[in-house]
Amino acid sequence: MANPKHSLSRVDLRPAAGAEPAVPAWAKDDYVLSRWIKEERARRRRFLADQVLEHREPRIHYRPQNTIGDRIFGPIRNAFKPLDVATGGRLFRGWLHTKKYLVLLVIPAWTAHYFVKYHVATKPHGIVTEKSAVFPAKTDHAGHHH
């Protein structure tokens, strides 16, 4: 074997298709268990063979119809569809990545910043709510207010 054992995947360690794998040592002495293992393996092989569709069999892609989002964003999506097709689907993919970035990072960070700034921060004069009154008599010779 060229590769070390730990580099092989679980699939590589299985016997070849159609081979009759040996019953594990822990099940050899038990008549019922050894037969059940063979029957279960055959049942799973049949099940997996049944999952393979022929080229003319339809593949059903379930998608709920007439959702509120479809009615709201459907016209927008249809308007941008030619541009999306022209860019190889990069337009909608980029929008999804941008939306994820906004929802997971920008909006929570802004919300936390707003909450801390206006509801938690106790530093005096951190937020100026009104300007102090400046009177004409409080000016120096250069014209600066004190």
Side-chain angles (χ1 to χ4, degrees), residues 5-112:
K5 190 172 182 96
H6 58 81
S7 71
L8 296 176
S9 71
R10 195 170 143 217
V11 175
D12 296 327
L13 298 173
R14 291 180 181 163
E20 191 61 40
V23 175
W26 50 267
K28 277 190 175 160
D29 296 336
D30 190 329
Y31 175 78
V32 173
L33 192 57
S34 63
R35 289 195 44 107
W36 179 83
I37 287 174
K38 287 180 180 175
E39 289 171 6
E40 183 63 21
R41 283 178 176 155
R43 192 177 303 116
R44 288 180 184 181
R45 272 196 297 272
R46 280 194 306 274
F47 174 79
L48 289 173
D50 287 344
Q51 303 311 302
V52 178
L53 295 177
E54 292 185 22
H55 67 278
R56 64 179 176 275
E57 288 187 85
R59 275 128 176 99
I60 298 168
H61 299 290
Y62 172 75
R63 188 168 179 273
Q65 297 297 317
N66 295 324
T67 60
I68 295 172
D70 279 345
R71 279 180 264 159
I72 294 171
F73 296 109
I76 299 168
R77 203 178 296 120
N78 292 338
F80 282 103
K81 196 159 197 156
L83 185 58
D84 186 49
V85 170
T87 58
R90 289 184 187 90
L91 187 68
F92 286 159
R93 257 199 322 267
W95 164 247
L96 289 174
H97 287 303
T98 304
K99 189 166 76 170
K100 183 171 68 173
Y101 170 76
L102 280 170
V103 168
L104 295 178
L105 188 68
V106 174
I107 294 173
W110 180 83
T111 306

